């Protein structure tokens, strides 16, 4: 659906050339929700502008649904952009127009008949949950409602790809979750391909199928969300994964530095899929006759499945500890010895 091959983008500044996107290769399949995560300056926004033709790559190719966006010009580019819509961080609504008029705007530009516009606007208002707000102006809406208008407007011309540039970063956590649920619902109902730019791993965890991690213009890690969460390879990815433990203010993040390390070996267990339902700790306690002290645990849901993390302390060293680790490995449980 979306294929980037050796894509680079260099800007020429007064201080010299700046490479915002550096030799990026990417594949996004039809119907996927694909997350691209990175901190400010990583090159995410430039990358998304390359996807809709607002920027041209310095080198490489950008192909969407078989069309080379990087080479398209004039009418060909305009027609391609009709199938690639954008949702913005700060909504970008027309403040002098009502909800219905904002949604209708892109249809009017595309030259759709008035009757068709009226029908389509009503369909979209129902889809994004804004019934009763048709005649309200943006100033009368909450942040979440404004973003729903932005999403409805982006869907007006039946796009094949929806680009979301930090679409939830201006919203509070509860509203963010509601908007993410809406995007997930739209993806399921319309089979729409969604590319989501963010700096929040919670957003990726909640709705994305795959994720690419960007740093200094390059993709440093990529894969299924569940795999990246359970086995992050790069320091920046581990930093993002740590965000999810701190996302909820109701949860106090676990600090392994506070453990009494004189009481035995400390193990961090990562369970995936069905293993999250197995009484592994109980079985080990019975087998070895050694109590396992549970220090901390949590379960996390992704679109690819569930994984759990469990921190244990056990009075075992040497060969006894090696046997325990072998048993855990036999159950396909990833184990890290934090302290022995």
């Amino acid at each position: 659906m979306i294929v980037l091959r050796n894509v680079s983008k260099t800007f020429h500044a007064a201080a010299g050339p700046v490479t915002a996107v550096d030799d990026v290769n990417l594949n996004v399949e039809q119907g996927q929700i694909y997350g691209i995560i990175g901190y400010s300056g990583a090159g995410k926004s430039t990358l998304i502008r390359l996807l809709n033709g607002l920027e041209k790559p310095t080198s490489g190719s950008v192909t969407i649904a078989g069309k080379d966006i990087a080479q398209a010009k004039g009418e060909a580019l305009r027609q391609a952009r009709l199938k690639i819509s954008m949702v913005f961080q700060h909504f970008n609504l027309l403040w002098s127009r009502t909800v219905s008029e904002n949604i209708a705007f892109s249809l009017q530009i595309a030259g759709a008949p008035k009757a068709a516009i009226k029908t389509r606007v009503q369909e979209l208002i129902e889809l994004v949950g804004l019934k009763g707000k048709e005649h309200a102006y943006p100033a009368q809406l909450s942040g979440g409602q404004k973003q729903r208008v932005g999403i409805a407007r982006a869907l007006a011309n039946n796009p094949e790809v929806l680009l979301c540039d930090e679409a939830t970063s201006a919203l509070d956590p509860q509203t963010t979750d509601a908007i993410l649920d809406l995007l997930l619902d739209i993806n399921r109902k319309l089979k729409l391909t969604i590319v989501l730019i963010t700096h929040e791993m919670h957003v990726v965890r909640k709705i994305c199928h795959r994720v690419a991690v960007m740093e200094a213009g390059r993709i440093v890690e990529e894969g299924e969300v569940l795999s990246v969460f359970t086995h992050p390879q790069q320091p920046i990815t581990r930093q993002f994964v740590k965000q999810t433990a701190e996302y909820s203010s109701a949860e106090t993040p676990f600090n392994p530095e506070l453990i009494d390390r004189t009481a035995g070996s400390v193990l961090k267990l990562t369970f995936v899929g069905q293993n999250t339902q197995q009484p592994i700790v109980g079985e080990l306690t019975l087998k070895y006759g050694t109590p396992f002290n549970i220090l901390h645990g949590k379960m996390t849901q992704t679109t690819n499945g569930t994984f759990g993390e469990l921190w244990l302390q056990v009075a075992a060293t040497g060969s006894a500890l090696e046997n325990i680790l072998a048993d855990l490995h036999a159950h396909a449980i990833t184990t890290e010895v934090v302290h022995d």
Side-chain angles (χ1 to χ4, degrees), residues 69 84 88 103 135 153 182 231 234 237 245 253 257 281 301-302 316:
I69 300 298
I84 307 169
F88 302 91
I103 298 171
H135 305 298
R153 180 185 56 189
L182 174 61
H231 300 96
Q234 300 296 321
T237 311
E257 298 302 321
V281 176
Q301 182 67 45
T302 75

Side-chain angles (χ1 to χ4, degrees), residues 4-292:
L4 276 67
R5 286 288 173 265
N6 305 114
V7 172
S8 294
K9 177 64 180 180
T10 300
F11 295 98
H12 296 282
V18 177
T19 301
V21 175
D22 188 3
D23 196 29
V24 165
N25 291 279
L26 205 63
N27 288 283
V28 180
E29 295 180 6
Q30 173 78 37
Q32 272 189 339
I33 303 179
Y34 196 102
I36 300 174
I37 190 168
Y39 290 117
S40 296
K44 310 183 302 298
S45 293
T46 300
L47 184 61
I48 206 170
R49 289 170 66 84
L50 290 168
L51 292 179
N52 62 10
L54 289 175
E55 296 285 355
K56 297 289 186 181
T58 304
S59 60
S61 62
V62 179
T63 306
I64 298 180
K67 298 176 182 177
D68 190 343
I69 300 298
Q71 299 301 319
K73 298 178 181 178
E75 182 61 18
L77 180 58
R78 193 183 77 84
Q79 290 299 321
R81 282 179 176 163
L82 287 175
K83 296 300 180 182
I84 307 169
S85 282
M86 189 92 153
V87 178
F88 302 91
Q89 176 182 358
H90 295 297
F91 322 127
N92 286 15
L93 301 181
L94 299 169
W95 294 88
S96 62
R97 298 194 178 208
T98 65
V99 167
S100 292
E101 290 167 345
N102 266 280
I103 298 171
F105 186 64
S106 58
L107 289 163
Q108 293 166 347
I109 292 176
K114 287 185 178 180
I117 291 175
K118 184 177 180 180
T119 300
R120 181 63 176 153
V121 167
Q122 200 54 47
E123 290 173 353
L124 291 167
I125 284 173
E126 293 274 0
L127 178 65
V128 302
L130 285 174
K131 190 170 178 59
K133 297 291 184 180
E134 295 92 332
H135 305 298
Y137 288 89
Q140 299 171 306
L141 303 176
S142 66
Q145 289 169 336
K146 291 172 189 173
Q147 196 57 285
R148 288 173 187 269
V149 178
I151 292 170
R153 180 185 56 189
L155 297 175
N157 285 304
N158 295 298
E160 297 175 359
V161 176
L162 183 65
L163 307 177
C164 300
D165 189 4
E166 299 279 8
T168 61
S169 62
L171 306 174
D172 62 74
Q174 185 176 359
T175 306
T176 290
D177 281 346
I179 293 298
L180 294 178
D181 286 337
L182 174 61
L183 290 173
L184 193 57
D185 187 51
I186 288 169
N187 169 257
R188 289 168 176 165
K189 286 180 179 176
L190 306 182
K191 309 301 181 187
L192 187 66
T193 304
I194 299 175
V195 178
L196 198 151
I197 299 292
T198 184
H199 63 272
E200 299 171 302
M201 202 61 166
H202 165 73
V203 170
V204 171
R205 176 194 65 77
K206 187 172 176 67
I207 68 168
C208 294
H209 302 111
R210 293 184 73 87
V211 60
V213 183
M214 287 193 75
E215 185 176 28
R218 301 183 68 88
I219 291 180
V220 297
E221 191 161 349
E222 195 274 347
E224 287 192 351
V225 169
L226 183 60
S227 175
V228 170
F229 261 82
T230 53
H231 300 96
Q233 301 299 308
Q234 300 296 321
I236 188 172
T237 311
R238 290 192 285 272
Q239 192 171 346
F240 276 125
V241 170
K242 186 180 177 182
Q243 283 184 0
T244 60
E246 301 169 351
Y247 179 77
S248 172
S249 60
E251 178 184 345
T252 302
F254 177 61
N255 185 358
E257 298 302 321
L258 300 180
I259 297 171
D260 178 7
R261 298 178 183 272
T262 65
S265 300
V266 178
L267 312 178
K268 179 186 176 185
L269 280 55
T270 303
F271 304 75
V272 178
Q274 292 300 315
N275 281 334
T276 58
Q277 307 298 323
Q278 302 302 313
I280 306 298
V281 176
E283 292 176 7
L284 291 174
T285 300
L286 291 173
K287 181 174 181 178
Y288 292 99
T290 302
F292 286 76

